[in-house]
Amino acid sequence: MVSRAVDGDAGAATRAGRAVSTYCLLAWTWIRAAAQYPVSIALLALGTMVTAGMDIAGILVMFGRTPRIAGFTAVEVLFLYGTSSLSFGASDILLGTTERLGEHVRNGTLDALLVRPVSPLIQIATEDFTPRRFGRLLPPVLVLAFVLPRVPVDWTPGRVAMVPLMLASGMVIFAGLWVLCAALQFVLLNSHGATKAITYGGSFLTQYPMTLFARDFVRGVTFVVPLAFVNWEPALYVLGRPDPLGLPGWTRFASPAVGAALCAVAAVAWRAGLRRYRSTGS
């Protein structure tokens, strides 16, 4: 029994390694193709960076009118912005193009992906992979570099460790949402706009304190779509703030478990969608 378990773990690790190497190979192929037009890539990356930075401008404009928003200072809100945007940006780079699944189903091009000896999820995730996406990461990185030394807390080892943990957990949660929203398009072919409300809308939502929203809405993004665990719950621990819903203290540390559970649900939904899919015959 022990040897079987060891063999199973080794097999899972091997499959995961192959998936990662395949992803990197396909992404590198797209990057090499895009590199034939370096000026275009540089301009597109700059445009992406400027567009991502517009959210910072919006936050600063609001704080030009008031010293606090929902009880949070500018530094604290920029901390939320930086952690949310960096997590979302990384997940968008890795899995953002999975939102095109509905288009592939409608056009019948998913059939071509299914007959190739590579996971269709990896093929869609690396489709049109371009370096310009990395422009989205620079604004939150610069914001975090600016605000972290200015956050008015005692930087204990626990708080220091929480920052990279919340960034990684937030990326995993957003990754699970990307795949789950893609899986919904097996059933709801024209749900592209609705799923954007969860992914891009979730990114915008988590840039601000949850105390800004109604309590019932906060419950929904905590217990139904777990966006509160992207950065809000961990940020409450870092900032030393009480939970507006009165949740126990251990929820501040639940983001990794929530991310793992959401990815498991997304994996089940993805496999169920593939089993349900019927070829167009084209």
Side-chain angles (χ1 to χ4, degrees):
M1 295 293 292
V2 174
S3 62
R4 288 182 180 178
V6 172
D7 291 342
D9 291 341
T14 300
R15 290 192 294 273
R18 289 175 179 171
V20 171
S21 63
T22 302
Y23 182 100
C24 293
L25 178 61
L26 291 177
W28 178 242
T29 301
W30 282 104
I31 289 174
R32 288 181 62 187
Q36 304 302 313
Y37 307 95
V39 175
S40 176
I41 289 298
L43 292 176
L44 287 171
L46 179 62
T48 301
M49 182 180 66
V50 172
T51 302
M54 293 300 292
D55 290 335
I56 304 173
I59 293 172
L60 295 178
V61 166
M62 286 190 290
F63 276 103
R65 299 288 184 177
T66 178
R68 291 178 178 268
I69 294 178
F72 284 72
T73 65
V75 167
E76 292 170 326
V77 173
L78 286 173
F79 173 67
L80 292 173
Y81 162 82
T83 51
S84 168
S85 295
L86 189 54
S87 295
F88 179 78
S91 70
D92 185 28
I93 289 172
L94 295 174
L95 291 165
T97 51
T98 55
E99 67 179 2
R100 300 180 181 180
L101 177 69
E103 179 182 343
H104 281 291
V105 173
R106 290 192 301 272
N107 295 337
T109 52
L110 181 60
D111 294 5
L113 304 184
L114 293 175
V115 299
R116 296 170 184 166
V118 178
S119 165
L121 180 60
I122 293 177
Q123 294 181 68
I124 296 174
T126 56
E127 191 172 56
D128 291 335
F129 197 97
T130 171
R132 72 177 176 81
R133 297 188 196 175
F134 292 95
R136 179 186 289 273
L137 301 181
L138 186 58
V141 168
L142 294 177
V143 166
L144 287 177
F146 175 79
V147 302
L148 285 177
R150 295 168 174 79
V151 174
V153 297
D154 179 18
W155 283 103
T156 62
R159 286 192 170 103
V160 171
M162 179 60 80
V163 175
L165 180 63
M166 67 192 292
L167 290 172
S169 300
M171 183 183 70
V172 171
I173 290 172
F174 276 126
L177 288 175
W178 279 117
V179 176
L180 185 59
C181 289
L184 289 176
Q185 295 184 52
F186 281 112
V187 180
L188 307 172
L189 295 183
N190 295 314
S191 62
H192 186 208
T195 55
K196 275 184 176 291
I198 298 175
T199 52
Y200 289 95
S203 172
F204 181 79
L205 171 72
T206 52
Q207 294 174 12
Y208 295 90
M210 291 292 173
T211 49
L212 193 63
F213 308 104
R215 290 177 66 87
D216 288 340
F217 180 79
V218 176
R219 290 189 182 96
V221 297
T222 301
F223 302 113
V224 181
V225 181
L227 291 168
F229 292 95
V230 168
N231 64 341
W232 173 245
E233 287 294 335
L236 292 177
Y237 169 75
V238 173
L239 301 176
R241 296 275 190 153
D243 191 307
L245 296 181
L247 298 178
W250 60 264
T251 57
R252 313 308 197 267
F253 309 94
S255 294
V258 171
L262 183 61
C263 286
V265 172
V268 171
W270 177 263
R271 293 191 183 99
L274 284 179
R275 287 195 297 268
R276 182 185 182 279
Y277 175 71
R278 295 294 180 267
S279 172
T280 60
S282 59

